[in-house]
Amino acid sequence: MKGARKTFSSGRKGLPVVLERRPYNAETPMDTIATSDITANRSFYVRNHFSIPKVDPSRWRLKVSGDVERPLRLSLPSIMRMRTKTVVTTMECAGNGRSKMNPRPPGTPWLTGALGTASWTGVPLKQVLAKAGVKDSAVEVLFRGADSGFIGGRITRFERSLPVDEAMDENVTLAFRMNGRPLPMSHGYPVRLNVPGWYGMASVKWLDEVSLISEPFEGRFQSSSYVYSKRDGTPSIPVTRMRVKSLITTPSEEAKVKCRSPVSVSGLAWSGYGKVERVEVKFSDSRWRRAKLVGQDLGRFCWRRWLCRWIPDKPGRYTISSRAVDDTGGSQPEAEVFDELGYGYNTVTRISVRAV
Amino acid sequence: MKGARKTFSSGRKGLPVVLERRPYNAETPMDTIATSDITANRSFYVRNHFSIPKVDPSRWRLKVSGDVERPLRLSLPSIMRMRTKTVVTTMECAGNGRSKMNPRPPGTPWLTGALGTASWTGVPLKQVLAKAGVKDSAVEVLFRGADSGFIGGRITRFERSLPVDEAMDENVTLAFRMNGRPLPMSHGYPVRLNVPGWYGMASVKWLDEVSLISEPFEGRFQSSSYVYSKRDGTPSIPVTRMRVKSLITTPSEEAKVKCRSPVSVSGLAWSGYGKVERVEVKFSDSRWRRAKLVGQDLGRFCWRRWLCRWIPDKPGRYTISSRAVDDTGGSQPEAEVFDELGYGYNTVTRISVRAV
C-alpha cells in the first residue's frame, strides 16, 4: 500500500495524496495537517463518488421543489446577494481510517488524511427554505448533486437527505466560498451544502436541487452505503455526525526520537457531537496524561490542536496513544472497532516510535 | 482619483485595486470584503514601504540578538518544527480611510480597502524569546524587516518595536502561513510578525532580526511616521491598536435602492481594543437603530458582520450612517476627525444612496 501511495503522490509539498484516479479521491497530506490549522484549498482532501460534473454557472439554477408553498429557481448571483454566513468547519470522510480496520473493508482505502478544516461562506439554508415556505407535510430535505454515474447498470445521482429540523440549523449553509475564494471545482462549484459536525457525505457537492419530501429518503447513499451495518439482518444505523477522535501528527509514525530529551507530542482532536473538552496521551503502558489544548479555538465545529512533552527514559520501541473526550462525554473506544463498510473509525489513536 | 483607480485596477474580480506601483500598494477589492469573511491571499491588501526584498529561504536565518542570554540564529525548518498557533486576525492599515479626511493628508491615498482578515499560523514569539532568555535590562523588542530603501538620502530599513510585555502575548506570532498556505512574497515570506489588534505596521514583514533593546526605539517608522501628530510642538502619540470602526458594504456608495421595499443594509465592524459589542445604524436623520450581528464569531481579533433591514419610505437621497461600539466602551466619533499624517480614521461611517 505504501508503495502504491508513493506512485500516485506527486511528491510536491502541500499537494494531495492521490488514492484513486477515477473517481478522483485524494487525502490531505500529513505535513499540511501537522502544520496548518486551516487547510489550503489545493491541499484539502477530495472525496468523489463519480466524475466531476460540468456545470455552466450562467445557466445553473438551484431548484427548490417538493412540499413548498413557492417553488424557486435561484441563480448564482441571486444566492450571492443574500445574507451570508461563514462557518469554519472540520470535515472528515466517514471512511477515514478505514485502512486501519482488520480485515480491511471494501471502499476507498483512506488512511488518516480524509480530513481538513476550511472556512466556508454561504447562505444559511433556512433563509432559502423560509423564502420557499416549507409545508407541514415535509419531513426531510433532499439534496441532489449534479454528479452521477452507473451503479448496478443504472444511472444514479449522489443524493442525501437531512431531517427538516437539522436542515433548519443556522449553520447549515449553501456554501459558495472556501477560505475566501470561489469554491473549487473539486469541492462542488458553484454551490455545495455545508453541514458542520456531520461526516463529509452530508455536505453534498455540485448541489442543484433541494427538495422537500414527505417520506424519509431511502436512496443508495443513505441505505446501501453510509450506514453502520451488521449484515446480520439487524437494521442498519445511518452514519451522521463525526465521532470524537484524535490524531497524532508529531512525531510521525515510525519516527526516531531521542532518549532522555524532551519530545513534543502533538496532534488534533475533533468531534461532531460537542466541543473537545480534553485529550489524554499515554506512552506504552504509562498512565494516561492530560495534554494541553493549544492554538486558537476556532469554534465548536473545528479541530483543536493539542500538545504534550514526553521524555523517553530508555531506548526502544514505544506506542504513543491518544484519546479525545468531548463535552457530551463521548470518547474513543479502547478496543479495535470493525465496521462492515468501514465507517466511523475512531479507536484510540496509536502510533509507534523508536527512542534511540 | 476614481479615474486613476480604474486605470490601475485590472478589473478582474477578486484582484487587488492597485494604488501605487512603486512601492506596490493595493487595496482589497470591495466585492471581496462584502462577500467573504476570510480574505483570500491573492485579494488581501498589500502595504509596502519599499520594494519586496529577495529572500533565499535556504540561507535565511532569524537572528535573535541584543539583551538575551543565548543569541539565536533560527532556520526556517527549525521554526516550523516548533509548537504553532493559528490566529484569525483582521488587519487594517493605519492609513485606511485617509482619502476621506479633509484636507487630504500626504501618503498612500487609501480609501476603505486597506483591510482584510486571514488566518495566520506561526510560532508564538514568546516561545522563541524563552529559548533565547530575555535579560532584565530589555525594555522593548525591535523587529527588523529585510526591506529597505532610501529615505532622505540614507538607506533605511523597515523597523518597529513592541514593549516586552506586549511582545510576550501568546497571540503575537512569527507567522509563516496565511490561510493554510505558505506566506506569499508580498505578505512577508518566509516569516512575518503577526500582532493581532494592532494596525498593520506592527506586523513587520520579511522579518530577519528580533533584537532585545534597553532603550525605547525611536526609528523612522516609529517617530516620524506612524504617530498621531499635532505638529504644534506637543509630543506626538504612537499609533498602536486599531480604533473601533465599521464599514457599510451593502448597499454600495451611490447605489439606487427601491422605495417601500426592504433593503438589506450590511457591513463589518472591528476593534483592536476589545470585542465588538454592537453596531448602530441611522438613515438620514432617523434615530440610531441596533443592527444584528450575523455570521460566525471568528474571535476577538476579527471583524464581525452585521445586518439590518430598512424600508425607505419616499424617493430621494439618504445618508446611511453606522457606528460600532466595543466592549471597552469605545465608539466612532460623530464629527469628522483630521490627522496631520492621516492615521486612525474612524469617524462615523456614512454612505449616500438614492431611493427611487
Side-chain angles (χ1 to χ4, degrees), chain B residues 92-98 111-112 114-115 199 242-247 268-272 276 279 303-304 306 322-326 330-332 344-347 349:
Chain B
E92 185 188 13
C93 176
N96 195 29
R98 174 184 285 152
L111 264 177
T112 49
L115 178 71
Y199 282 115
M242 295 182 291
R243 290 175 170 173
V244 60
K245 191 161 165 182
S246 60
L247 182 62
L268 293 157
W270 64 98
S271 170
V276 168
V279 174
W303 60 25
R304 185 75 195 271
W306 54 265
S322 71
R323 65 179 183 201
V325 182
D326 69 24
S331 187
Q332 302 181 241
Y345 182 84
N346 76 330
T347 308
T349 311

Side-chain angles (χ1 to χ4, degrees), chain A residues 13 31-32 34-43 80-81 83-89 119 121 127 170 176-177 179-182 250 264 292 294-302 305 307 309, chain B residues 13 31-32 34-43 80-81 83-89 119 121 127 170-171 176-177 179-182 264 292 294-302 305 307 309:
Chain A
K13 246 193 136 151
D31 56 353
T32 298
T35 57
S36 310
D37 290 351
I38 300 289
T39 313
N41 293 1
R42 66 168 200 148
S43 307
M80 293 173 83
R81 273 195 301 270
R83 171 175 70 82
T84 60
K85 175 160 188 154
T86 298
V87 188
V88 185
T89 310
S119 80
T121 302
Q127 234 188 121
E170 169 72 14
F176 50 83
R177 283 185 175 272
N179 289 333
R181 303 196 61 168
T250 313
S264 284
K292 205 172 150 187
V294 295
Q296 192 181 13
D297 181 352
L298 293 166
R300 69 186 172 107
F301 301 121
C302 281
R305 209 167 283 275
L307 172 75
R309 310 251 170 212
Chain B
K13 247 191 134 154
D31 56 353
T32 298
T35 57
S36 310
D37 290 351
I38 300 289
T39 313
N41 293 1
R42 66 169 200 149
S43 307
M80 292 172 84
R81 273 195 300 270
R83 170 176 70 82
T84 61
K85 174 159 188 155
T86 297
V87 189
V88 185
T89 310
S119 79
T121 301
Q127 234 189 121
E170 167 72 14
N171 296 297
F176 51 83
R177 283 186 175 270
N179 290 332
R181 303 196 60 168
S264 285
K292 205 172 150 186
V294 295
Q296 192 181 12
D297 182 352
L298 293 166
R300 69 188 172 108
F301 300 121
C302 280
R305 208 166 284 274
L307 172 75
R309 309 256 170 207

Side-chain angles (χ1 to χ4, degrees), chain B residues 174-245:
Chain B
L174 302 169
F176 51 83
R177 283 186 175 270
M178 180 176 180
N179 290 332
R181 303 196 60 168
L183 207 57
M185 279 307 303
S186 54
H187 292 287
Y189 179 87
V191 169
R192 78 175 300 172
L193 195 65
N194 178 30
V195 188
W198 285 53
Y199 282 115
M201 78 282 157
S203 294
V204 176
K205 301 195 282 188
W206 309 291
L207 193 65
D208 67 8
E209 188 166 4
V210 172
S211 191
L212 279 291
I213 57 178
S214 52
E215 299 278 344
F217 179 64
E218 297 281 358
R220 172 73 180 76
F221 294 99
Q222 211 143 328
S223 57
S224 309
S225 60
Y226 295 119
V227 289
Y228 299 117
S229 156
K230 287 250 164 44
R231 299 227 162 150
D232 62 358
T234 54
S236 58
I237 299 160
V239 173
T240 59
R241 290 173 183 277
M242 295 182 291
R243 290 175 170 173
V244 60
K245 191 161 165 182

Side-chain angles (χ1 to χ4, degrees), chain B residues 143-165:
Chain B
F143 302 94
R144 296 203 166 106
D147 50 330
S148 65
F150 280 94
I151 294 184
R154 291 174 53 183
I155 283 278
T156 309
R157 288 180 81 172
F158 186 76
E159 297 173 314
R160 293 269 318 170
S161 75
L162 285 177
V164 170
D165 57 339

Side-chain angles (χ1 to χ4, degrees), chain A residues 44-318:
Chain A
F44 205 97
Y45 86 93
V46 177
R47 199 304 175 232
N48 290 333
H49 296 84
F50 306 110
S51 46
I52 296 177
K54 286 190 183 59
V55 179
D56 174 350
S58 66
R59 298 181 57 187
W60 175 91
R61 296 291 180 276
L62 181 70
K63 290 177 280 297
V64 183
S65 65
D67 290 3
V68 293
E69 306 291 349
R70 294 167 295 277
L72 306 173
R73 287 175 60 86
L74 303 169
S75 68
L76 184 55
S78 74
I79 291 174
M80 293 173 83
R81 273 195 301 270
M82 295 181 179
R83 171 175 70 82
T84 60
K85 175 160 188 154
T86 298
V87 188
V88 185
T89 310
T90 293
M91 205 176 271
E92 184 187 16
C93 176
N96 195 30
R98 174 184 287 151
S99 289
K100 301 195 164 183
M101 293 184 183
N102 187 8
R104 185 185 294 167
T108 306
W110 301 108
L111 264 178
T112 50
L115 178 70
T117 295
S119 80
W120 309 89
T121 302
V123 170
L125 175 69
K126 69 185 275 199
Q127 234 188 121
V128 171
L129 294 184
K131 215 180 171 92
V134 174
K135 289 187 183 170
D136 287 347
S137 51
V139 298
E140 285 192 352
V141 187
L142 176 60
F143 302 94
R144 295 204 166 104
D147 51 330
S148 65
F150 280 94
I151 295 186
R154 292 173 54 183
I155 283 279
T156 308
R157 289 179 78 173
F158 186 76
E159 297 173 314
R160 292 270 318 172
S161 75
L162 285 176
V164 170
D165 57 339
E166 294 274 0
M168 286 289 195
D169 187 293
E170 169 72 14
N171 297 298
V172 172
T173 55
L174 302 169
F176 50 83
R177 283 185 175 272
M178 181 176 180
N179 289 333
R181 303 196 61 168
L183 207 57
M185 280 306 304
S186 55
H187 292 287
Y189 179 86
V191 169
R192 79 177 298 171
L193 195 65
N194 178 31
V195 188
W198 286 52
Y199 282 114
M201 78 283 156
S203 295
V204 176
K205 301 196 281 188
W206 309 290
L207 193 65
D208 67 8
E209 188 166 3
V210 173
S211 192
L212 278 293
I213 57 178
S214 51
E215 300 278 344
F217 179 63
E218 298 282 359
R220 173 73 180 75
F221 295 100
Q222 211 143 330
S223 57
S224 309
S225 61
Y226 297 118
V227 288
Y228 299 116
S229 157
K230 289 245 166 48
R231 299 226 163 150
D232 61 358
T234 55
S236 58
I237 298 160
V239 173
T240 59
R241 292 174 183 276
M242 295 182 293
R243 290 175 171 172
V244 61
K245 191 163 167 182
S246 59
L247 182 62
I248 301 168
T249 54
T250 313
S252 52
E253 172 77 346
E254 294 299 326
K256 261 193 271 184
V257 297
K258 251 199 197 155
C259 252
R260 288 173 291 277
S261 286
V263 178
S264 284
V265 178
S266 70
L268 292 157
W270 64 98
S271 169
Y273 289 91
K275 226 176 149 66
V276 168
E277 207 168 67
R278 65 175 193 274
V279 175
E280 295 166 333
V281 188
K282 194 170 89 161
F283 303 93
S284 289
D285 296 321
S286 78
R287 299 206 312 184
W288 288 100
R289 288 171 39 188
R290 198 155 168 167
K292 205 172 150 187
L293 299 180
V294 295
Q296 192 181 13
D297 181 352
L298 293 166
R300 69 186 172 107
F301 301 121
C302 281
W303 60 26
R304 186 74 193 273
R305 209 167 283 275
W306 55 265
L307 172 75
C308 74
R309 310 251 170 212
W310 168 52
I311 301 179
D313 58 0
K314 53 173 195 264
R317 192 165 276 287
Y318 288 83

